[in-house]
Amino acid sequence: MVKISGRHIKTILYLLEQKYPVSASRISKEIDVNINTLRKDIPQFADFLEENGLSLRARPRIGLKIDGPYEKIEGLKEKLTLLENKLFDRKGKVW
């Protein structure tokens, strides 16, 4: 099982919403992650998606795109959205 962090969740959710390949530079700007960090994370994204029945298409000079059955994409979106809400919800925390 591949461990994922908050930035991984943000990146994967962003890619799940895209219908066309997106360049790494655009992704890094949209989710505010260093491009070098994003590039290092790509193998982890691919492993995580593969575990969930999806695949990451990385095409040089074109971009990244997640491929797979619609049902699996929607299911993963739901799971990651719930997980993201748990990770980033600060309302219930006592400071």
Side-chain angles (χ1 to χ4, degrees):
M1 179 179 210
V2 177
K3 292 185 179 183
I4 59 171
S5 69
R7 79 169 177 269
H8 295 151
I9 293 171
K10 280 183 172 181
T11 306
I12 292 170
L13 281 172
Y14 178 79
L15 286 170
L16 287 169
E17 294 295 326
Q18 306 306 310
K19 294 183 182 191
Y20 301 101
V22 182
S23 70
S25 62
R26 181 171 171 202
I27 296 168
S28 69
K29 288 176 188 170
E30 292 286 330
I31 62 169
D32 196 29
V33 171
N34 183 293
I35 193 162
N36 292 324
T37 302
L38 178 65
R39 286 186 177 134
K40 289 177 187 174
D41 288 343
I42 290 174
Q44 288 175 304
F45 298 152
D47 292 342
F48 176 75
L49 291 168
E50 190 173 303
E51 285 180 1
N52 289 280
L54 300 169
S55 62
L56 180 67
R57 303 283 178 214
R59 297 185 61 201
R61 304 200 190 280
I62 295 176
L64 302 169
K65 182 175 182 336
I66 296 175
D67 287 331
Y70 177 79
E71 299 82 25
K72 290 193 178 199
I73 288 174
E74 290 301 313
L76 186 58
K77 275 186 201 178
E78 286 179 28
K79 286 180 192 175
L80 290 178
T81 301
L82 290 173
L83 188 57
E84 180 184 41
N85 290 339
K86 268 187 173 178
L87 285 175
F88 297 114
D89 183 24
R90 302 284 186 218
K91 293 177 186 173
K93 295 219 174 193
V94 177
W95 295 99

